[in-house]
Amino acid sequence: MPKLTFIEKDGNHLEVDAPKGLSVMEVSHKHGVDIEGACGGCLSCATCHVIVKPDWFEKVGEPSEDEEDMLDLAYDLEKTSRLGCQILITDELDGLVVALPGAPKEW
Ligand code: FES
């Protein structure tokens, strides 16, 4: 099963199992990671914002225009910001690392 690492606000690196087909936001909820996801994944909030580790960004891909509009509302926006509900886990993303907004990013 693919693995996904969250860098939490306190700097903790949490590696979890990430079932294929689930979104990064859904995986975070399964493991009690502090990502809200207020709209349930329908691209109408920005509370599932995560910052993708830069060397993963090409594999994860650019946000759509609609996603970019929502990201403009997000806190701690970075060049590799994405909405967690829009990244679906695949085998290619095994090992992906994302940081929560406000987390220390040492990468
Ligand atoms: Fe609302 Fe992702 S959960 S945009």
Side-chain angles (χ1 to χ4, degrees):
M1 174 165 330
K3 300 281 186 196
L4 169 60
T5 297
F6 292 99
I7 304 178
E8 299 181 293
K9 291 189 174 81
D10 62 1
N12 182 43
H13 287 221
L14 181 70
E15 188 187 77
V16 299
D17 287 335
K20 279 189 279 181
L22 288 192
S23 70
V24 167
M25 184 269 280
E26 288 166 328
V27 174
S28 75
H29 286 178
K30 277 173 90 71
H31 296 279
V33 176
D34 187 21
I35 291 179
E36 190 182 343
C39 76
C42 63
L43 207 48
S44 58
C45 72
T47 63
C48 61
H49 172 213
V50 294
I51 298 139
V52 175
K53 187 176 180 182
D55 47 9
W56 277 97
F57 192 66
E58 211 178 297
K59 268 196 186 154
V60 171
E62 300 275 341
S64 66
E65 232 171 82
D66 288 345
E67 185 181 335
E68 257 178 32
D69 288 346
M70 292 311 306
L71 275 169
D72 285 341
L73 307 174
Y75 147 75
D76 195 21
L77 195 65
E78 299 265 350
K79 281 199 183 72
T80 61
S81 285
R82 291 289 314 264
L83 293 178
C85 68
Q86 301 299 305
I87 304 172
L88 298 185
I89 301 297
T90 60
D91 282 331
E92 288 68 50
L93 295 185
D94 181 21
L96 177 65
V97 180
V98 300
L100 270 56
K105 293 172 275 297
E106 290 150 15
W107 44 40

